[in-house]
Amino acid sequence: MASFQTPLASSFALSPFLKPPRLPFLNPSVSTHNNNNRPFLSLVTNSQQKFSNGRYIREDYLIKKVSSKEVEDLVKGERNVPLVVDFYATWCGPCILMAQELEMLAVEYESNVLFVKVDTDDEYEFSRDMQVRGLPTLIFISPDPTKDAIRTEGLIPTQMIRDIINNDM
């Protein structure tokens, strides 16, 4: 039986688009720590850590991911600075953009504002109780218990976040 190969199949097999993409922002290294003792490619950078759930989390963020219990403790506890809670999801594009803006604001405000973030996939019940419907959702909580919390949904400009912190907190 003769083998038959179409021109389409042969050109498809030689296509340069089928090569795996190079990811220059990651620092790949070859390691032999798998079960078969064969080399494999590790895409974990020096500032990342793999947790038991298999996700990679950067450790050098200024804004820490917290649980629902930690948020409740922060709200009920003694604070003399405003609290900004960012409800986000790892798969949400606008949430990633908002996280970058909040990181810059955390550097700008230093210890004058406390920024924390809550993963809505990990804290589903808490997110539901807080009536988070759109992502990202920011909740601004003043240290003054007589002031109401301010809530925003969706990607908002950095200047609007500054205005809320400076004027309404």
Side-chain angles (χ1 to χ4, degrees), residues 61-132:
Y61 287 127
L62 293 174
I63 301 175
K64 299 299 178 198
K65 179 182 166 188
V66 295
S67 67
S68 59
K69 177 72 172 133
E70 291 170 309
V71 172
E72 290 174 13
D73 291 344
L74 286 170
V75 170
K76 292 177 183 176
E78 291 290 323
R79 282 180 297 108
N80 57 357
V81 296
L83 173 66
V84 179
V85 183
D86 173 25
F87 288 89
Y88 76 101
T90 55
W91 48 263
C92 169
C95 298
I96 295 168
L97 296 173
M98 180 68 78
Q100 293 170 353
E101 291 179 10
L102 292 176
E103 285 289 325
M104 290 188 295
L105 288 172
V107 170
E108 181 180 326
Y109 282 99
E110 295 178 351
S111 60
N112 296 323
V113 176
L114 179 59
F115 292 93
V116 295
K117 59 185 176 180
V118 176
D119 188 342
T120 56
D121 291 330
D122 293 343
E123 298 288 340
Y124 175 76
E125 290 85 15
F126 181 60
S127 302
R128 185 190 61 213
D129 294 343
M130 295 298 292
Q131 298 179 356
V132 173

Side-chain angles (χ1 to χ4, degrees), residues 108-167:
E108 181 180 326
Y109 282 99
E110 295 178 351
S111 60
N112 296 323
V113 176
L114 179 59
F115 292 93
V116 295
K117 59 185 176 180
V118 176
D119 188 342
T120 56
D121 291 330
D122 293 343
E123 298 288 340
Y124 175 76
E125 290 85 15
F126 181 60
S127 302
R128 185 190 61 213
D129 294 343
M130 295 298 292
Q131 298 179 356
V132 173
R133 303 283 185 251
L135 294 177
T137 294
L138 296 180
I139 298 179
F140 299 84
I141 304 169
S142 174
D144 182 4
T146 61
K147 290 187 176 182
D148 291 333
I150 298 173
R151 170 194 190 99
T152 65
E153 288 187 5
L155 187 61
I156 61 173
T158 307
Q159 188 56 46
M160 185 181 289
I161 298 170
R162 278 191 197 101
D163 291 343
I164 292 172
I165 292 170
N166 295 336
N167 302 330

